[in-house]
Amino acid sequence: VTRLRRKAQPAIDKAVARMQRKKFTQRSDEFCRRIRWRPQTPEPSYGERVKEMLRAATARFLAKCEGDLTQVKNLHSLRIEAKRLRYTMELLAGAFDPSFRKELYLQVTDVQEELGQLNDHATAGKRFQEWAGRAKASAAREFEALAREEATALEASQTKFLSTWNELRRAELECDLRSF
């Protein structure tokens, strides 16, 4: 992990330097000026626009819920969409009553965290398999054992998630999301 981090660091340093050179604040101010409302239609109120943004994020999340969730890649896509929905909710929370943040936001956060744990096991298992393929015999066996442990943990996490992510829980969350 340390070796991978060291390998990635130059690209991170380069991106930071590029942002500093291009005067991030000036660029963001210019961007804000360019994205003004175009007067083809009346500008929606903040409340209307917020609800529209939440509806769009909700629709994308619910579309991912329709996938075959027995497939880890689909669960990963659902996790990403849950994360996007959560970020949208964070940004828009001020436009809604406190129950939005105290109840609905927590429901979405719970789903995302469950899927995150599942994804962590999948990612760790793949990484251990990769390392096993490059390691010497004794280390390879250890990495393979770790990969098997992660596969077992992944299966348990997936089973647990699918047992709680049933039609009722999904429908209740959808109803709650659409109520705002």
Side-chain angles (χ1 to χ4, degrees):
V1 172
T2 302
R3 183 177 50 80
L4 293 172
R5 172 68 180 165
R6 270 191 239 122
K7 184 178 177 183
Q9 191 61 47
I12 294 168
D13 293 340
K14 191 175 182 180
V16 169
R18 188 172 55 245
M19 281 180 33
Q20 290 170 341
R21 275 195 317 270
K22 293 186 177 184
K23 298 180 181 162
F24 181 75
T25 303
Q26 289 174 337
R27 292 183 70 216
S28 63
D29 288 345
E30 176 59 27
F31 174 73
C32 288
R33 280 192 295 278
R34 288 191 319 238
I35 61 168
R36 71 187 186 289
W37 187 260
R38 305 295 190 255
Q40 297 145 343
T41 60
E43 184 172 359
S45 70
Y46 177 72
E48 292 167 341
R49 183 67 182 124
V50 162
K51 288 179 181 180
E52 180 182 309
M53 294 171 74
L54 181 61
R55 279 193 299 271
T58 297
R60 288 188 301 271
F61 171 75
L62 294 172
K64 292 295 181 183
C65 291
E66 299 300 321
D68 178 6
L69 299 182
T70 62
Q71 299 295 312
V72 173
K73 67 179 181 171
N74 292 342
L75 288 167
H76 178 64
S77 294
L78 179 59
R79 180 187 72 86
I80 291 169
E81 218 45 69
K83 185 183 282 192
R84 288 179 179 148
L85 176 58
R86 192 191 93 213
Y87 291 161
T88 300
M89 293 172 79
E90 285 175 3
L91 291 171
L92 306 178
F96 297 103
D97 63 80
S99 66
F100 180 85
R101 185 106 165 119
K102 290 179 182 173
E103 297 167 17
L104 187 56
Y105 176 82
L106 293 178
Q107 290 178 51
V108 173
T109 300
D110 287 346
V111 170
Q112 187 212 331
E113 287 177 358
E114 290 172 40
L115 292 166
Q117 289 174 356
L118 198 148
N119 186 65
D120 289 347
H121 292 304
T123 302
K126 286 179 187 175
R127 185 61 49 100
F128 288 139
Q129 277 301 102
E130 290 171 9
W131 290 345
R134 295 191 306 246
K136 294 182 179 166
S138 63
R141 284 191 298 277
E142 290 180 36
F143 284 131
E144 287 167 355
L146 290 169
R148 284 191 299 277
E149 287 177 25
E150 290 299 334
T152 300
L154 170 61
E155 187 176 327
S157 292
Q158 187 174 10
T159 300
K160 180 181 175 192
F161 177 77
L162 293 175
S163 72
T164 61
W165 184 251
N166 56 35
E167 192 58 37
L168 177 62
R169 183 179 178 200
R170 184 197 160 290
E172 285 176 350
L173 181 58
E174 178 179 358
C175 183
D176 291 346
L177 283 165
R178 293 187 190 277
S179 71
F180 280 94

